[in-house]
C-alpha cells in the first residue's frame, strides 16, 4: 500500500539510507520497482505532513535499488538461476530417489506434484534429472489427445521391462484450453485405462526447507558482492537493477525490464500464446525443454568413461545413448576406458539398459586412467571390427590427454581418423576448456555437508579449529569453493603460493578471532598445495600456536568426495552435455563422409565440449594445449581464482577486492534473440 511505502520511506530517510538491496521473489522486486518510481513523490508528501524536514529530504533525494532474486520457482525472467532453486531441487531429488526404490519393488506408477504455479522450471529439471516418463508444465501444455499418448508411453516402458513409471506435474499445469490438469486427474486416468497401481505424492513445503546446497551458498555470496558493487557505482540516473547469473557469469539487468518480461510470460500464458511464453522464459529454460523432448542418420557411436569416477557420469552416458538412439544411431558401450576399447570390451547398449542410470553415482561402464598410446594397434582393430564412426569420451584430465594421443596416432593409423568429442567429468574440475566439469558440484556438496557436520560436532565444547584436507590433485577448485560455501578461515591451494609468513599471518588472525565470541575455525587444505607444508605440518602449527586459546582436530576427507548420488546440477549438466555431444558428432560425421567412408583428420574433428562463461562451446583439443599446464594437470588460467578475495573478506581480513571486471547492464529483451536452435 501507499501508506506502507510512506512509512518505509520515512524510516530510510531518518537513518540516512540511500542504498537498498532487496532479496526476494517477483512480488518483492515488483514492489521495489514501484517504491523507487514513487520515491520523490513519497518524500514530497512526507515533507508536507511534517514526517521529515526539507533538509532531510534533500540529503536523501534519490534512492538506489539493487535486487537479488530469491525464489525456489526460478520464475523471474532474465536470471538463469535464482537463489534457492538449486536447494529446492536437492529436496525434490532426495524424495524422488527415495520413491524410486519403493516403486521399483512394487511395480508402481508415481505421480509427483512439485511447486510452480506459473513456472514449470522445477518440474522440468526434476523430469530431466530422474528420467521421468512424462512432465506437465504450464508453459507448454500437451496436445489435445495427451491422454492416449500418455497411456501409450507408459505401456511401452512397461513392456520394455521397466518396473517403474514416474510422471512429474507442476502445480500450475494446464491443457491447451487453460483447464487445470491435476495430479488426481492423471492418477484416475492411469488407473481407469491401464489398471496400474498408481500413487500421488504432493511435495508441498518440503521444497522450501532444509540446508542450502553448496551452489546456492556460493551463488548467494557472489551475488551479494555484485549487488554491493552495483550500489557503490550507482548514480541518481542509473536504473534500478537486478544482479543475476547467466551461465557462469554475473550480469546486471534493469529491474523494470525483468519485471515486465516476467509479467509478459503470464499474459502470454493467459492468452494461450504458449510458444511465446517458452521463448520469454529464456535460453536456458528452452534448452532444457528441447533436451527433454529429444528431437535418423544411422551411424555407430561408442561411448566410454576415462579417468577416476565422478557422480553424473552415468547421467551423461544415459543421455548420450538415448539421444543417439533417437538420432537413429547404433550405440556401443565401452567398458574400462581406453584399455577396454583396445581389448574389445564393447557391447551394444539399449534404451532400457540405461533407464535408471541418472541417479547413480560412480561409473557403471567402469573407468580407468590408462592412456591409449601403447594400444594404438589394438584400438584401431576394435574401431574397424565394430565399425565405429565416432567416439564420445566422458572423463577427466586423462580423457583430454588420451584424446590428444589419439590425434597424434592419426598420422599412422587411418582408423583413428574419426570424430571425437570429450565431455569433462571429474571432481577436481581441472580439465582445460571448461568452467565446470560433471561431478564437481556433487563433490562440493559432500565436502560442504561434511564441514557443516564437523563444525556441529564441536558445538558446546571449548574453542576448536578444524584442519580439513580436500581432493583435487594440484587444482584448488574444491578447497576454494568449499571454503566459500562452508565459511572457512583459510583455504591453502597450489595456485596461490604461500610461505611461512602467510601461515603466520593466518594463525595470528585466527587466534585473535578465537579470543572473541568465535567458537569454531575451519581451515581447508588442498591435498597437493605444497609438498612440505603438509596437512600434519599445518595441524601441528595451529595446535602449537593456539595453545590455551583453542585446540585442533584434523580430517582427511579422502574418497568419499568421489562417491554419492549425483546432485540435481550434475544430473542435469550430464544430461545436457550428452545430448549436445551427440548432435555435434552426428553433424561432424556427415561432414567427414566421402563416398560412404569417414575420414576426419582436421583439428576441429576432435573437440572438447565445455561450459565457457555463458555458453556450451565445442573447442578443438589441439587449441587447448597452449592453455594447459601438463606437469600439474591444470589449466593455466582458472576463473574461480577471482573469487578467492571474497573468501578472505568473509573471514574478516582487510584486503582490497579487484573490481576491474564489471558486469555491465544488459537488456533482457535483447538477450532473448540469440536462442540456441541447434540442439
Amino acid at each position: 500500500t501507499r501508506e506502507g511505502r510512506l512509512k518505509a520511506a520515512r524510516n530510510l530517510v531518518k537513518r540516512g539510507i540511500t542504498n537498498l538491496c532487496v532479496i526476494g521473489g517477483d512480488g518483492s522486486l515488483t514492489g521495489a520497482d514501484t517504491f523507487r518510481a514513487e520515491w520523490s513523490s513519497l518524500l514530497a508528501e512526507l515533507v508536507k505532513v511534517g514526517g521529515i524536514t526539507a533538509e532531510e529530504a534533500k540529503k536523501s533525494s534519490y534512492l538506489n535499488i539493487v535486487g537479488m532474486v530469491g525464489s525456489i520457482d526460478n520464475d523471474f525472467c532474465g536470471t538463469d538461476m535464482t537463489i534457492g532453486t538449486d536447494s529446492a531441487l536437492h529436496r525434490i531429488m532426495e524424495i524422488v530417489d527415495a520413491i524410486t526404490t519403493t516403486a521399483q519393488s512394487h511395480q508402481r506408477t508415481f505421480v509427483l506434484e512439485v511447486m510452480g504455479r506459473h513456472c514449470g522450471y522445477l518440474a522440468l529439471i526434476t523430469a530431466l534429472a530422474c528420467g521421468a516418463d512424462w512432465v506437465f508444465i504450464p508453459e507448454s501444455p500437451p496436445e489435445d489427445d495427451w491422454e492416449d499418448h500418455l497411456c501409450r508411453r507408459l505401456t511401452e516402458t512397461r513392456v520394455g521391462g521397466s518396473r517403474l513409471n514416474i510422471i512429474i506435474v507442476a502445480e500450475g499445469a494446464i491443457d491447451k484450453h487453460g483447464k487445470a490438469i491435476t495430479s488426481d486427474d492423471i492418477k484416475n486416468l492411469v488407473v481407469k485405462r491401464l489398471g496400474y497401481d498408481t500413487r500421488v505424492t504432493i511435495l508441498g513445503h518440503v521444497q522450501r526447507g532444509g540446508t542450502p546446497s553448496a551452489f546456492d551458498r556460493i551463488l548467494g555470496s557472489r551475488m551479494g558482492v555484485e549487488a554491493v558493487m552495483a550500489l557503490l557505482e550507482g548514480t541518481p540516473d542509473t536504473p534500478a537493477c537486478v544482479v543475476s547469473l547467466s551461465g557462469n557469469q554475473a550480469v546486471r539487468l534493469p529491474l523494470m525490464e525483468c519485471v515486465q518480461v516476467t509479467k509478459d510470460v503470464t499474459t502470454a500464458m493467459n492468452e494461450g500464446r504458449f510458444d511465446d511464453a517458452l521463448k520469454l522464459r529464456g535460453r536456458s529454460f528452452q534448452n532444457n525443454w528441447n533436451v527433454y523432448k529429444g528431437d535418423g542418420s544411422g551411424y555407430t557411436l561408442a561411448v566410454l568413461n576415462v579417468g577416476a569416477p565422478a557422480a553424473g557420469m552415468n547421467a551423461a552416458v544415459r543421455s548420450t545413448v538415448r539421444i543417439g538412439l533417437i538420432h537413429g544411431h547404433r550405440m556401443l558401450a565401452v567398458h574400462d576406458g581406453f584399455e577396454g576399447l583396445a581389448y574389445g570390451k564393447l557391447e551394444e547398449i539399449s534404451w532400457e539398459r540405461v533407464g535408471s542410470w541418472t541417479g547413480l553415482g560412480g561409473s557403471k561402464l567402469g573407468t580407468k586412467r590408462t592412456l591409449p598410446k601403447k594400444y594404438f594397434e589394438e584400438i584401431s582393430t576394435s574401431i574397424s571390427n565394430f565399425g565405429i564412426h565416432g567416439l564420445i569420451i566422458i572423463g577427466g584430465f586423462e580423457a583430454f590427454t588420451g584424446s590428444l594421443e589419439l590425434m597424434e596416432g592419426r598420422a599412422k593409423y587411418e582408423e583413428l581418423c574419426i570424430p571425437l568429442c570429450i565431455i569433462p567429468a571429474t571432481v577436481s574440475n581441472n580439465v582445460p576448456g571448461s568452467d565446470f566439469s560433471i561431478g564437481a558440484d556433487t563433490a562440493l556438496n559432500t565436502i560442504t555437508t561434511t564441514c557443516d557436520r564437523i563444525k556441529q560436532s564441536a558445538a558446546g565444547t571449548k574453542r576448536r579449529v578444524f584442519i580439513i584436507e580436500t581432493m583435487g590433485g594440484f587444482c584448488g577448485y574444491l578447497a576454494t569453493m568449499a571454503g566459500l560455501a562452508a565459511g572457512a578461515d583459510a583455504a591453502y591451494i597450489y595456485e596461490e603460493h604461500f610461505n611461512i609468513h602467510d601461515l603466520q599471518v593466518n594463525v595470528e588472525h585466527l587466534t585473535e578471532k578465537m579470543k572473541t565470541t568465535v567458537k569454531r575455525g575451519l581451515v581447508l587444505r588442498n591435498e597437493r598445495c605444497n609438498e612440505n607444508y603438509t596437512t600434519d605440518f599445518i595441524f601441528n602449527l595451529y595446535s602449537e600456536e593456539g595453545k590455551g586459546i583453542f585446540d585442533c582436530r584434523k580430517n582427511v576427507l579422502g574418497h568419499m568426495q568421489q562417491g554419492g548420488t549425483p546432485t540435481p546440477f550434475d544430473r542435469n549438466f550430464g544430461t545436457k552435455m550428452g545430448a549436445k555431444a551427440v548432435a555435434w558428432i552426428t553433424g561432424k560425421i556427415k561432414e567427414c563422409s566421402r563416398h560412404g567412408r569417414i575420414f576426419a583428420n582436421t583439428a576441429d574433428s576432435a573437440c572438447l565440449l565445455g561450459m565457457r562463461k555463458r555458453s556450451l562451446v565445442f573447442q578443438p583439443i589441439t587449441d587447448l594445449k597452449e592453455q594447459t599446464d601438463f606437469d600439474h594437470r591444470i589449466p593455466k588460467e582458472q576463473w574461480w581464482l577471482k573469487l578467492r578475495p571474497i573468501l578472505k573478506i568473509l573471514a574478516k581480513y582487510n584486503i582490497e577486492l579487484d573490481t576491474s571486471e564489471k558486469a555491465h547492464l544488459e537488456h533482457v529483451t535483447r538477450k532473448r534473440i540469440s536462442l540456441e536452435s541447434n540442439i
Side-chain angles (χ1 to χ4, degrees):
T1 61
R2 171 93 181 171
E3 185 191 4
R5 294 195 287 277
L6 274 169
K7 275 186 192 161
R10 184 171 183 272
N11 288 337
L12 290 180
V13 173
K14 287 289 180 201
R15 288 173 177 71
I17 296 171
T18 52
N19 292 295
L20 188 60
C21 177
V22 181
I23 310 172
D26 56 352
S28 320
L29 295 174
T30 313
D33 195 35
T34 316
F35 189 47
R36 164 127 196 214
E38 290 181 357
W39 185 250
S40 41
S41 71
L42 290 170
L43 294 196
E45 194 172 322
L46 285 169
V47 173
K48 208 162 114 189
V49 298
I52 57 173
T53 65
E55 185 61 27
E56 287 172 327
K58 200 173 153 198
K59 271 190 193 150
S60 304
S61 61
Y62 71 92
L63 176 71
N64 267 337
I65 287 189
V66 170
M68 286 169 32
V69 197
S71 142
I72 65 162
D73 292 344
N74 201 14
D75 57 356
F76 198 72
C77 289
T79 63
D80 274 5
M81 273 299 243
T82 55
I83 299 165
T85 308
D86 189 65
S87 302
L89 285 167
H90 273 253
R91 294 299 87 76
I92 296 171
M93 287 319 302
E94 283 159 15
I95 293 165
V96 172
D97 286 349
I99 281 176
T100 355
T101 45
T102 153
Q104 276 175 333
S105 53
H106 287 290
Q107 213 172 7
R108 283 197 172 130
T109 297
F110 268 90
V111 181
L112 280 133
E113 185 179 301
V114 299
M115 282 184 165
R117 256 188 314 249
H118 307 294
C119 180
Y121 187 85
L122 291 176
L124 177 54
I125 301 298
T126 305
L128 267 176
C130 72
D133 293 284
W134 198 283
V135 61
F136 290 94
I137 59 171
E139 289 86 349
S140 185
E143 294 303 322
D144 285 341
D145 60 348
W146 65 267
E147 289 99 334
D148 305 336
H149 193 148
L150 173 67
C151 293
R152 196 164 61 243
R153 180 72 198 268
L154 297 180
T155 317
E156 278 168 14
T157 49
R158 278 288 165 100
V159 172
S162 165
R163 298 180 57 83
L164 159 76
N165 298 112
I166 292 188
I167 301 163
I168 308 284
V169 194
E171 61 178 329
I174 47 175
D175 65 15
K176 280 248 181 332
H177 312 288
K179 184 177 160 290
I181 298 177
T182 67
S183 18
D184 284 333
D185 294 344
I186 299 162
K187 175 190 166 171
N188 298 336
L189 170 78
V190 177
V191 171
K192 200 172 120 192
R193 286 217 198 161
L194 302 174
Y196 291 169
D197 181 2
T198 307
R199 303 292 159 96
V200 173
T201 303
I202 296 173
L203 298 190
H205 279 77
V206 168
Q207 297 162 75
R208 291 193 186 279
T211 48
S213 65
F215 183 91
D216 271 333
R217 298 179 191 202
I218 293 162
L219 176 66
S221 310
R222 283 177 72 183
M223 293 305 111
V225 172
E226 195 53 53
V228 172
M229 309 230 301
L231 285 171
L232 293 178
E233 289 159 24
T235 65
D237 308 323
T238 39
C241 74
V242 174
V243 292
S244 84
L245 198 65
S246 171
N248 180 31
Q249 226 181 358
V251 292
R252 298 179 193 174
L253 303 159
L255 180 60
M256 298 265 309
E257 285 182 23
C258 293
V259 169
Q260 191 50 52
V261 177
T262 306
K263 283 181 182 159
D264 292 348
V265 175
T266 320
T267 316
M269 279 159 57
N270 291 341
E271 292 172 3
R273 293 183 287 114
F274 295 107
D275 287 350
D276 293 349
L278 266 179
K279 279 200 187 93
L280 290 163
R281 276 275 179 243
R283 193 184 65 181
S284 152
F285 191 95
Q286 253 184 322
N287 271 345
N288 284 317
W289 182 236
N290 290 337
V291 170
Y292 182 76
K293 288 188 306 185
D295 278 333
S297 43
Y299 297 118
T300 298
L301 300 183
V303 56
L304 61 155
N305 289 159
V306 176
M313 273 182 167
N314 297 323
V317 172
R318 170 182 175 276
S319 134
T320 304
V321 168
R322 289 197 161 179
I323 303 282
L325 292 169
I326 288 171
H327 275 281
H329 301 315
R330 171 170 158 257
M331 299 303 292
L332 299 176
V334 182
H335 296 279
D336 300 336
F338 290 123
E339 197 177 296
L341 186 57
Y343 294 143
K345 291 189 183 170
L346 289 84
E347 55 165 340
E348 196 163 330
I349 189 159
S350 65
W351 182 276
E352 285 76 34
R353 246 310 273 297
V354 291
S356 60
W357 282 22
T358 324
L360 303 176
S363 159
K364 291 279 282 182
L365 295 182
T367 177
K368 284 204 166 155
R369 289 181 186 271
T370 327
L371 291 171
K373 204 172 218 160
K374 53 182 182 195
Y375 298 120
F376 281 164
E377 193 76 47
E378 295 84 346
I379 287 177
S380 302
T381 312
S382 287
I383 289 176
S384 96
N385 286 350
F386 287 93
I388 297 168
H389 300 121
L391 283 178
I392 292 179
I393 303 165
I394 302 165
F397 201 81
E398 287 84 1
F400 171 62
T401 46
S403 303
L404 282 170
E405 286 184 8
L406 288 179
M407 285 199 66
E408 284 167 30
R410 282 176 170 181
K412 198 172 164 199
Y413 297 94
E414 205 180 298
E415 292 84 354
L416 299 178
C417 296
I418 56 173
L420 319 170
C421 183
I422 305 162
I423 298 177
T426 161
V427 297
S428 307
N429 197 21
N430 63 336
V431 180
S434 191
D435 289 356
F436 294 119
S437 50
I438 298 168
D441 186 68
T442 304
L444 206 50
N445 276 288
T446 307
I447 300 169
T448 309
T449 359
T450 310
C451 288
D452 286 354
R453 285 185 185 167
I454 287 174
K455 278 167 119 175
Q456 282 168 358
S457 74
T461 59
K462 51 185 184 297
R463 294 183 164 80
R464 184 164 284 173
V465 171
F466 292 97
I467 316 288
I468 294 175
E469 180 186 302
T470 67
M471 274 182 155
F474 284 101
C475 178
Y477 177 79
L478 288 177
T480 300
M481 297 307 244
L484 258 178
D489 295 279
Y492 298 114
I493 61 169
Y494 164 77
E495 291 91 343
E496 200 171 90
H497 179 73
F498 58 97
N499 55 29
I500 195 72
H501 171 69
D502 301 315
L503 287 170
Q504 188 183 351
V505 170
N506 293 153
V507 174
E508 285 168 1
H509 181 80
L510 193 54
T511 315
E512 284 310 306
K513 244 166 82 170
M514 297 298 258
K515 285 178 183 165
T516 61
T517 52
V518 178
K519 287 276 176 72
R520 281 182 293 294
L522 181 66
V523 174
L524 294 173
R525 177 189 174 273
N526 160 272
E527 56 183 355
R528 302 189 72 173
C529 64
N530 188 306
E531 55 184 340
N532 296 314
Y533 297 143
T534 59
T535 303
D536 287 336
F537 176 91
I538 289 175
F539 168 70
N540 293 337
L541 175 74
Y542 277 83
S543 302
E544 180 57 38
E545 297 297 318
K547 270 188 184 160
I549 300 160
F550 57 80
D551 60 358
C552 282
R553 294 285 185 275
K554 69 168 188 251
N555 288 73
V556 176
L557 299 185
H559 279 78
M560 62 184 284
Q561 296 164 78
Q562 278 180 3
T565 46
T567 55
F569 180 90
D570 278 332
R571 297 180 191 201
N572 184 18
F573 192 43
T575 303
K576 227 189 278 196
M577 297 285 264
K580 281 264 190 210
V582 173
W584 175 84
I585 212 160
T586 306
K588 203 40 91 180
I589 296 173
K590 279 187 190 140
E591 210 178 286
C592 299
S593 299
R594 295 278 176 281
H595 316 297
R597 283 185 63 244
I598 287 158
F599 185 74
N601 204 11
T602 51
D604 67 355
S605 62
C607 281
L608 181 135
L609 170 58
M611 159 74 107
R612 275 279 168 106
K613 286 194 172 166
R614 303 174 69 162
S615 40
L616 290 173
V617 281
F618 290 93
Q619 308 143 94
I621 54 175
T622 43
D623 294 1
L624 296 172
K625 262 162 93 168
E626 275 70 71
Q627 304 171 22
T628 310
D629 168 356
F630 284 96
D631 293 340
H632 297 100
R633 300 160 52 94
I634 51 174
K636 287 178 184 166
E637 284 190 3
Q638 305 191 77
W639 65 273
W640 49 266
L641 286 168
K642 291 199 175 73
L643 303 181
R644 300 258 315 161
I646 302 176
L647 189 84
K648 292 217 166 114
I649 291 170
L650 295 178
K652 290 212 167 108
Y653 281 90
N654 287 330
I655 60 154
E656 290 295 311
L657 185 62
D658 170 24
T659 57
S660 58
E661 221 181 81
K662 290 190 170 60
H664 297 292
L665 196 65
E666 300 183 5
H667 295 288
V668 193
T669 34
R670 204 165 305 144
K671 224 178 89 184
R672 306 276 158 248
I673 313 298
S674 60
L675 295 169
E676 296 179 34
S677 53
N678 59 351
I679 190 110

